[in-house]
Amino acid sequence: MQRRTFIKHTALCAVAVSASGFIRFNGNRYVGDCETTSDILGPFYRPGSPLRNNLLVKGDTGQVIELRGMIKHKDCQTPYRKAMIELWHCSSQGVYDNSSDKFLYRGTTYSDDKGQYTFKTILPVAYDAGGGNIRPAHFHMMVSAPGYQPLVTQLYFSGDPQIASDEYASSPTAKRRILTVQSLPNGNRKVLFDVSMSDTLAIEPAAIDQLTGIYTDLKNSKKKVEFFKSKNSLWMKNEVFGHQFEYTGNNTFHYKGLPPGEQWYLQFRIQKTGAVELTETSIDKKGQEEISKAVKEKH
C-alpha cells in the first residue's frame, strides 16, 4: 500500500488510567475538548538530540522562526513542569539530517516552572516524499511527560498551499495544529503551540520486553522485522530509528496519527512454546486490507 510503502522505505498486562473532567474514553483512546492530537511520527525520528533550543545553523538562509508554547496537564490548565520536548525538521533544502553527529535541525528542551518552552530555528519547506507526494512544511514534535503517554505530532503553517492536498495536514484532527505565522519587529517569524497531555492505556515494561526481537515472515523467510523498546513504548525498527506503536488493549498496538479510515496495527499472540506470533494488518482509505504473519522463535 502507498502509505505503508512510504513509511517503511523512507499475554500482556495493561493498566488503563482513569480520565477526569471532560476528557473521556471513546472506546479506543481518551479524548477531550482541549486534547492535542497526534500525527505520524514519520521515518526520520532520531533519539538523543542535543539539549538545546536554538537550532539555527550558520550559513543557512532560511527564514528564522520562533516556536513558543506551554505544556499542560490533562486538565488543560495546570502547567507541566520539566516535560521533555523534542523538535526536528528538514533544512531549507528539504533534507533531514539522519546520520551526522551534528543532529542538524534537531534539539531537545524542557518546559520551565510555568510549563513554557521555546525553540528558535528556521521555517522548514515542503518536499517531495516520493512518488510526487509533496508534504507541506512541518515541524515534528514529541512530548514526553511522566504520567502520560508520549505525544507524537506535527505542526503545519497557515497559508501553505500544500496542506489541502496532504491527507495528514488536511485531516479534521489537524486543524488546531495549523499555526498562524506572526511577524516580529526584527523581521523574524513566530508561531505559538500549547500542548495538553492526555491519558491513555499504559503497558508494563516487562510485557513489551516479551515482544521485542526479530520476527520472520511465515511466507518469506528472508523478510524480517525487528521490534525494540524505547520510552516504554514498542517500536518497529527502520533505517533511521523506528516507528512507534501505541498499546490499545487486547494484545494490540496501533500506529498513531493516520488519516481517518486508515489503520496500521499489530496483534501479538504468545504461544505455549514461548514463541510469539505477530499478525500485522494495514487498511487503506479505500478499505482494502493487507495482512501478514510473522513469528519470533523462543531463544
Side-chain angles (χ1 to χ4, degrees):
M1 296 181 182
Q2 183 179 1
R3 173 64 197 149
R4 289 183 58 203
T5 300
F6 166 64
I7 292 175
K8 291 187 175 182
H9 296 287
T10 34
L12 304 179
C13 177
V15 180
V17 185
S18 61
S20 63
F22 52 82
I23 296 177
R24 65 195 185 282
F25 188 64
N26 69 1
N28 292 311
R29 60 192 180 95
Y30 288 94
V31 296
D33 292 340
C34 67
E35 179 193 32
T36 303
T37 57
S38 62
D39 204 335
I40 54 173
L41 176 63
F44 304 131
Y45 172 67
R46 294 178 65 190
S49 60
L51 186 61
R52 62 187 179 195
N53 60 4
N54 187 334
L55 310 187
L56 295 177
V57 176
K58 186 177 181 179
D60 194 309
T61 58
Q63 172 65 58
V64 176
I65 190 168
E66 296 178 13
L67 168 63
R68 296 178 177 273
M70 178 183 293
I71 311 299
K72 304 174 186 178
H73 280 270
K74 64 182 179 182
D75 63 4
C76 308
Q77 297 179 3
T78 307
Y80 194 107
R81 178 176 175 269
K82 291 191 179 302
M84 184 174 76
I85 305 105
E86 299 172 77
L87 189 77
W88 67 100
H89 60 84
C90 68
S91 70
S92 57
Q93 286 75 45
V95 178
Y96 285 86
D97 178 6
N98 292 329
S99 57
S100 88
D101 57 6
K102 294 182 179 180
F103 282 79
L104 301 178
Y105 306 108
R106 299 173 183 268
T108 299
T109 192
Y110 288 85
S111 56
D112 63 19
D113 289 344
K114 297 181 179 180
Q116 297 176 343
Y117 73 93
T118 181
F119 285 96
K120 187 174 185 179
T121 186
I122 61 165
L123 189 66
V125 298
Y127 61 87
D128 190 339
N133 176 28
I134 307 299
R135 294 234 61 216
H138 56 277
F139 286 142
H140 293 269
M141 175 183 282
M142 179 181 290
V143 182
S144 301
Y148 298 101
Q149 187 80 7
L151 171 72
V152 177
T153 197
Q154 292 187 29
L155 313 181
Y156 304 98
F157 309 100
S158 59
D160 189 328
Q162 304 297 335
I163 288 178
S165 59
D166 184 87
E167 57 184 339
Y168 310 106
S170 63
S171 169
T173 61
K175 287 182 177 179
R176 296 183 185 179
R177 295 184 279 107
I178 300 176
L179 309 182
T180 299
V181 181
Q182 306 174 38
S183 297
L184 300 176
N186 61 3
N188 294 341
R189 302 287 191 267
K190 179 177 71 172
V191 288
L192 303 175
F193 184 66
D194 292 347
V195 173
S196 293
M197 304 303 292
S198 296
D199 288 329
T200 189
L201 292 170
I203 186 171
E204 293 291 344
I208 297 180
D209 289 339
Q210 294 183 61
L211 307 180
T212 58
I214 298 175
Y215 289 72
T216 303
D217 190 278
L218 292 179
K219 292 185 178 180
N220 181 0
S221 61
K222 294 183 179 180
K223 182 181 177 182
K224 298 180 184 296
V225 62
E226 182 175 352
F227 292 94
F228 63 96
K229 181 175 72 176
S230 180
K231 298 179 182 294
N232 198 31
S233 297
L234 185 70
W235 295 68
M236 177 188 288
K237 186 176 181 180
N238 67 8
E239 293 85 350
V240 179
F241 183 68
H243 309 297
Q244 183 188 32
F245 285 80
E246 181 180 276
Y247 183 63
T248 54
N250 194 29
N251 294 4
T252 303
F253 293 76
H254 277 74
Y255 187 75
K256 300 184 295 182
L258 293 175
E262 292 191 27
Q263 295 187 60
W264 184 18
Y265 60 91
L266 315 169
Q267 187 167 40
F268 295 88
R269 185 170 65 90
I270 299 177
Q271 301 174 341
K272 293 181 179 179
T273 61
V276 183
E277 183 180 88
L278 163 67
T279 300
E280 179 182 354
T281 304
S282 60
I283 303 173
D284 65 17
K285 55 187 176 183
K286 295 181 180 180
Q288 295 179 329
E289 186 178 72
E290 182 179 323
I291 299 175
S292 63
K293 290 183 179 291
V295 67
K296 183 187 78 167
E297 299 294 340
K298 181 181 178 180
H299 294 291

